[in-house]
Each structure stands twice: as C-alpha cells, then as structure tokens.
Amino acid sequence: MEDMARGERSPTVFPIWQRQILNARNPPQVTCIHHEYDEINTNEVPSDNMAHKSFFFSLKGIKALRNQLPFHLKDCSTFELLLAFLWKCRTIALKLQPEEIAKVSCIVNVRGKRYKMDIPPGYYGNAFTFSAVCSTAEQLCKNPIGYAVELVKKAKAQMNEEYIRSVADLMVIKGRRIKSSTRGNFIVSDLRNVGLGDVDFGWGKPIYGGAAGAVAVFSFCVKYQSKNGEPGILVPICLPQSAMERFQEELKRLMIQGSMEDLWNTNQTQVFSKL
C-alpha cells in the first residue's frame, strides 16, 4: 500500500497467499500443553464502565524496575520485565480470589527463520500465536516481581515449531470453538519492532504508529516519545473503572517501593492524528 500511495508501478514485495503453510497436520496431534486455551469456569470481567488509559515508561523508569530484580534475572528483556510488572499490577487490581488462576500470554510472530515455518516474504495472512503460563493469584501477588519474570520467560521459552504446529492441530480438533476466560487473563504483543512508525504513504513518517488502544485483555507495547521528546514505551490498559484506580495505585506503590516515584506516568497519553 505504501508503494501504491507513493505512485510506484509495482510493490516492493508482492503479496503471497499460501495458507496451506499453516494448515494442521493430518492427522492432527496436540503434543503440547496449551494453557492459553484452557476453558475456566469463572466470573468474567464486566464489559461495561471500562476505563482506558495509556502508561508511558521512560528508559530511566525501565532501568529502575530492572534494579528490583535478583541478579540472575537482570538480563531479562525489556518486554519480559514490563509484561511481568503489568501482569502483577493488573492481577492485584482485579482482586482475584487467592486460589483463582491468573494467566499471561505473549504474542509471538512466527515469521522469519527462528521458528522454521518457511513463511515466504509477502505472505499477508496472520502468522502469530501465543503461549501462556499460569499462577494462582495469591502466589503472583505476594511474590516479588522476579517471580512473574520467571514465568514470562518460561512462556517465551516454550515457543518452538512443534508448539506452533500443536496449536494448529488443537484448532482443528476443537473445531475452533474455544472460549478462554477473560478474568485473570492478560495477553500482550510487542509492536516496537514491527515498523509501524516507519510507514510512509508519501506524507512522511507518522507521529504515531500502532493500534488505537487496548481491547479487553489484549494490550501491546509500542515505541513512543513523551511531550518532552523522551523516548520510551507506551502500554495501553483496559480495565473496569474501579480496577483501573487500583491498578494505578499499585503501579505507584511498587515504584515508590523502589524509590522511583518520579519515573512513572499514569496520565492518559492522547495520540492525535495529523492526517
């Protein structure tokens, strides 16, 4: 679309539709445990009176969070750190019962050579999946952030070609009629390196490139600059109004616990289109 908008005669990369690449095996074989599709009988998060806010984490703020980790986890990725931190705050905000299960999932792009799925350049279908790890709300809330980071790293580590094939097989066996609980579930995608901020339709690079906001349990991380030009990461969150207030309080409490109150920002960040 970029090429066409700029008046090019042909696209740089031609679109390809080879959906059979991601077909289930014959016969389908579910060889992995997929907690992300566990069907849990529990009360769902109410969909009315929802609050939407975006939280900006500066590089200094991220470093401050990392300083709270034990030595063997200090080399975790920024995404792992933020996901663990937000998962814990969100679970506390929702006031889950101690024995209730809290799940976190990170969406993984299966393109490229890492997962050996042989998806050609130009393939324009969906090519992502996600894995989940679980914890009781009690364990997640009472333990330090390092506990959540360990679980997030586990979720990422279990993703491989066999896991991806197993997901496709599960979809066929279940007939795609899989309903996962939204209560206690948190799914986040890292969009910082997708290149949305570099898209150019002939008017120059966008001021903002990314989704408009969080949707229920789905959120994402994007590159962003504060009003002062400070680089960092923007994370939108969607919660019931009462839970959002508790979420912000918990976020503040944990940052104060690390003596870094001035390094976080709970004001909603507004993104205006210039088109």
Side-chain angles (χ1 to χ4, degrees):
M1 291 181 64
E2 274 187 282
D3 298 325
M4 295 172 65
R6 294 199 303 264
E8 301 291 342
R9 291 181 176 273
S10 62
T12 304
V13 179
F14 282 88
I16 295 174
W17 180 248
Q18 296 180 8
R19 183 63 182 84
Q20 69 278 5
I21 294 174
L22 299 176
N23 281 354
R25 293 171 288 200
N26 187 16
Q29 309 166 50
V30 180
T31 56
C32 301
I33 298 174
H34 298 284
H35 288 301
E36 61 272 27
Y37 295 110
D38 286 346
E39 299 183 43
I40 302 174
N41 294 321
T42 185
N43 295 326
E44 298 298 305
V45 174
S47 58
D48 57 336
N49 195 27
M50 301 295 285
H52 299 258
K53 288 184 179 293
S54 295
F55 298 84
F56 176 76
F57 293 87
S58 68
L59 300 182
K60 291 181 180 179
I62 294 169
K63 182 179 179 181
L65 287 176
R66 193 178 299 278
N67 288 339
Q68 300 181 48
L69 294 176
F71 180 78
H72 71 284
L73 291 176
K74 287 187 181 294
D75 63 345
C76 72
S77 71
T78 298
F79 178 68
E80 291 167 346
L81 175 61
L82 279 181
L83 180 53
F85 176 67
L86 294 169
W87 181 34
K88 178 174 181 175
C89 291
R90 188 177 185 277
T91 302
I92 292 173
L94 287 172
K95 285 190 171 181
L96 301 185
Q97 294 299 315
E99 70 280 1
E100 280 193 75
I101 298 299
K103 292 194 297 184
V104 66
S105 301
C106 48
I107 296 177
V108 175
N109 181 4
V110 303
R111 302 171 191 268
K113 298 180 180 180
R114 180 176 181 181
Y115 297 110
K116 302 178 181 179
M117 299 302 295
D118 297 324
I119 298 175
Y123 176 77
Y124 60 90
N126 288 330
F128 67 86
T129 187
F130 54 94
S131 60
V133 286
C134 306
S135 171
T136 62
E138 181 179 28
Q139 288 295 317
L140 178 60
C141 296
K142 78 176 185 180
N143 276 297
I145 298 176
Y147 171 81
V149 171
E150 292 269 23
L151 290 176
V152 170
K153 289 175 71 69
K154 179 181 177 182
K156 291 181 64 179
Q158 66 189 8
M159 183 63 67
N160 54 33
E161 181 184 357
E162 182 59 33
Y163 195 96
I164 297 166
R165 296 293 183 191
S166 182
V167 169
D169 294 346
L170 178 66
M171 295 293 102
V172 170
I173 291 174
K174 293 285 188 178
R176 295 183 179 272
R177 295 185 298 272
I178 300 177
K179 183 180 179 181
S180 181
S181 171
T182 59
R183 182 174 171 84
N185 200 2
F186 189 37
I187 304 172
V188 182
S189 179
D190 187 359
L191 301 181
R192 290 175 298 158
N193 298 315
V194 173
L196 296 174
D198 297 322
V199 175
D200 184 358
F201 291 102
W203 308 307
K205 293 184 178 181
I207 292 177
Y208 172 80
V215 180
V217 300
F218 292 90
S219 188
F220 53 88
C221 298
V222 293
K223 291 180 180 178
Y224 195 74
Q225 283 191 343
S226 68
K227 294 179 180 179
N228 299 325
E230 185 178 15
I233 299 174
L234 189 71
V235 185
I237 297 291
C238 177
L239 284 169
Q241 183 62 51
S242 59
M244 180 62 78
E245 294 171 2
R246 291 191 294 269
F247 178 84
Q248 293 180 98
E249 291 172 359
E250 185 61 23
L251 194 71
K252 181 177 181 179
R253 186 188 71 80
L254 288 177
M255 295 305 287
I256 292 177
Q257 182 176 306
S259 300
M260 291 114 185
E261 182 181 9
D262 60 331
L263 298 180
W264 67 282
N265 176 10
T266 59
N267 293 322
Q268 184 172 5
T269 302
Q270 296 181 341
V271 180
F272 298 97
S273 172
K274 295 295 184 180
L275 302 182

